[in-house]
């Protein structure tokens, strides 16, 4: 059941983004879709389609694993790439996440 929910959410969020972009265009029909897709990503319509695809992948990852696991994975990957604990702590403080998640990330960093 969880996998089904993550797939539906992964499809639904890019669709909602496209609907909002279409509504913001002020146009209707094919022109609205064209303008909305071109506005969503770099490189015109193809970039907009790619942006929606990336949004779908991000949402699927978030629904499957949750914010905690995603951000913890990012911290671990930063350590693998050779960043210092001080630079990672600076990044954690800038993340737009809750204080409790920042605390968890600092604790995870201390374990490394």
């Amino acid at each position: 059941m969880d996998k089904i929910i993550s797939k539906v959410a992964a499809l639904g969020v890019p669709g909602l983004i496209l609907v909002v972009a279409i509504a913001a265009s002020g146009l209707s029909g094919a022109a609205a879709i064209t303008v909305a897709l071109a506005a969503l990503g770099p490189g015109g319509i193809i970039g907009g389609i790619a942006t929606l695809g990336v949004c779908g992948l991000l949402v699927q990852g978030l629904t499957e694993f949750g914010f905690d696991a995603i951000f913890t994975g990012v911290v671990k990957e930063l350590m693998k790439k050779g960043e210092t604990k001080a630079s990672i702590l600076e990044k954690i403080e800038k993340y737009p996440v809750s204080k409790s998640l920042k605390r968890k990330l600092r604790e995870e960093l201390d374990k490394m």
Side-chain angles (χ1 to χ4, degrees), residues 11-27:
L11 292 173
V13 171
L16 288 174
I17 293 170
L18 182 59
V19 167
V20 169
I22 288 171
S25 74
L27 301 171

Side-chain angles (χ1 to χ4, degrees), residues 5-15 17 48-67 70:
I5 291 171
S6 72
K7 299 289 185 193
V8 170
L11 292 173
V13 171
I17 293 170
I49 293 169
T51 299
L52 291 175
V54 169
C55 287
L57 292 174
L58 288 173
V59 169
Q60 183 177 358
L62 288 173
T63 56
E64 279 187 40
F65 305 110
F67 278 106
I70 299 291

Side-chain angles (χ1 to χ4, degrees), residues 68-96:
D68 292 4
I70 299 291
F71 279 108
T72 301
V74 168
V75 169
K76 287 179 181 178
E77 191 63 29
L78 289 173
M79 283 296 289
K80 285 182 186 176
K81 289 185 177 183
E83 290 209 31
T84 64
K85 286 188 177 186
S87 68
I88 295 173
L89 279 173
E90 286 179 29
K91 290 180 181 185
I92 289 172
E93 293 306 317
K94 293 179 184 178
Y95 286 161

